[in-house]
Amino acid sequence: MLKEVVAYFEQLDPVMAAFLATLFTWGVTALGASLVFVFKNMNRAFFDGMLGFTGGVMVAASFWSLLAPGIEMSPGEGFEKVIPAVVGFALGALFLFGLDKILPHLHVNFRMSEKEGIKTPWHKSTLLTLAIALHNIPEGLAVGVLFGGVAAGFEGATIGGAVALAIGIGLQNFPEGFAVAMPLRRQGMKRWKCFNYGQLSAIVEPMAAVLGAWAVMTFKPILPYALSFAAGAMIFVVVEEVVPESQQERYTDIATMGFIGGFMIMMTLDVGLG
């Protein structure tokens, strides 16, 4: 089944392939948000485990899908070969650091008094959506950059790797949609409105993917930097947001095992398909 999916994407224009792949990740987010129609409450142990799973997927994807191929396709030897990865990684982390300080948002499981970014009168619903959207930007960008790298003919960039990354991101997007929708439901918001906020958090992924694919195809030398940029942004999100959110309650061991599981699944997908 997965081989057929890879074969299908090999026939597509890279920008269209990136767009469709991230429509899938968006759809999985919407599927997670749709659980608000089924459940009245969120099981905290399950949710923390899924947050850990999200972190594991993102860390594994950062290395196996982004950093390793970026280093492999960089010119030179020794320290010279790793320079694009170091520069791109640092820029990606700094980019998310800047957005984190500017964009108003509220992390899941945190109180309104702990919202971040510039001061704003926006409601909790908007702030929660923006928090998830913030770390969906590098995820969409990563998928687009990989598809663009294949089109540009870079060794180490494969359709299988790009599809594996999209699948992994889709899996960890499932709890994210739920994470936005359910807290809003507990506040008394109508189910359809909660669902809409939940799925809206991933709308940035197709846009970022198209931008990433186009940029790499237009400016081919930036690919090693772009891959590492996405990796740096994703690692920043894991350390600054995902891990702290999963450690707020007493289910830290469950969150840790979720992290390990997510890492193993993403590593298996990338090696198996890439």
Side-chain angles (χ1 to χ4, degrees):
M1 176 64 178
L2 290 178
K3 290 184 177 180
E4 286 78 3
V5 172
V6 172
Y8 170 75
F9 275 95
E10 287 175 341
Q11 303 172 18
L12 297 176
D13 172 80
V15 175
M16 178 57 69
F19 179 72
L20 291 179
T22 45
L23 279 185
F24 162 75
T25 63
W26 183 12
V28 178
T29 307
L31 188 63
S34 70
L35 292 180
V36 76
F37 296 111
V38 179
F39 298 104
K40 294 182 178 180
N41 295 298
M42 179 170 58
N43 183 287
R44 187 56 189 267
F46 171 78
F47 180 68
D48 284 349
M50 291 306 295
L51 273 178
F53 178 86
T54 293
V57 168
M58 293 178 74
V59 170
S62 295
F63 176 75
W64 295 99
S65 300
L66 302 171
L67 281 175
I71 293 172
E72 181 182 342
M73 64 184 64
S74 298
E77 297 293 336
F79 286 111
E80 183 183 356
K81 191 174 183 65
V82 80
I83 287 176
V86 172
V87 172
F89 191 87
L91 290 176
L94 287 172
F95 174 72
L96 258 291
F97 175 80
L99 280 183
D100 186 69
K101 297 303 180 186
I102 296 172
L103 186 69
H105 62 283
L106 176 67
H107 296 311
V108 179
N109 296 333
F110 282 67
R111 297 182 295 273
M112 276 295 287
S113 60
E114 298 176 288
K115 62 184 179 182
E116 299 179 4
I118 60 175
K119 293 183 179 180
T120 175
W122 294 348
H123 294 296
K124 186 175 183 179
S125 55
T126 303
L127 295 173
L128 282 170
T129 303
L130 287 175
I132 301 297
L134 186 65
H135 71 72
N136 282 336
I137 294 173
E139 293 171 4
L141 183 65
V143 174
V145 165
L146 272 181
F147 276 110
V150 175
F154 280 91
E155 185 178 354
T158 66
I159 291 292
V163 170
L165 180 60
I167 293 173
I169 288 174
L171 289 175
Q172 58 96 35
N173 274 5
F174 183 82
E176 291 180 357
F178 189 51
V180 176
M182 187 52 69
L184 301 180
R185 178 58 186 165
R186 289 205 305 266
Q187 292 181 3
M189 186 178 290
K190 293 183 178 179
R191 295 181 190 272
W192 269 109
K193 199 168 183 179
C194 296
F195 167 77
N196 284 331
Y197 275 111
Q199 60 84 24
L200 193 62
S201 64
I203 197 172
V204 297
E205 289 190 357
M207 293 185 286
V210 168
L211 177 62
W214 172 83
V216 168
M217 293 171 62
T218 305
F219 309 103
K220 294 183 181 181
I222 73 168
L223 180 59
Y225 296 91
L227 288 170
S228 302
F229 180 96
M234 289 174 71
I235 293 296
F236 179 90
V237 167
V238 172
V239 176
E240 199 275 338
E241 178 180 340
V242 177
V243 170
E245 288 174 9
S246 71
Q247 303 294 310
Q248 289 288 305
E249 295 290 340
R250 63 184 184 275
Y251 303 110
T252 56
D253 289 343
I254 295 175
T256 301
M257 295 309 297
F259 184 100
I260 298 299
F263 189 99
M264 291 191 300
I265 289 175
M266 185 65 234
M267 179 175 61
T268 301
L269 281 171
D270 190 83
V271 175
L273 291 177

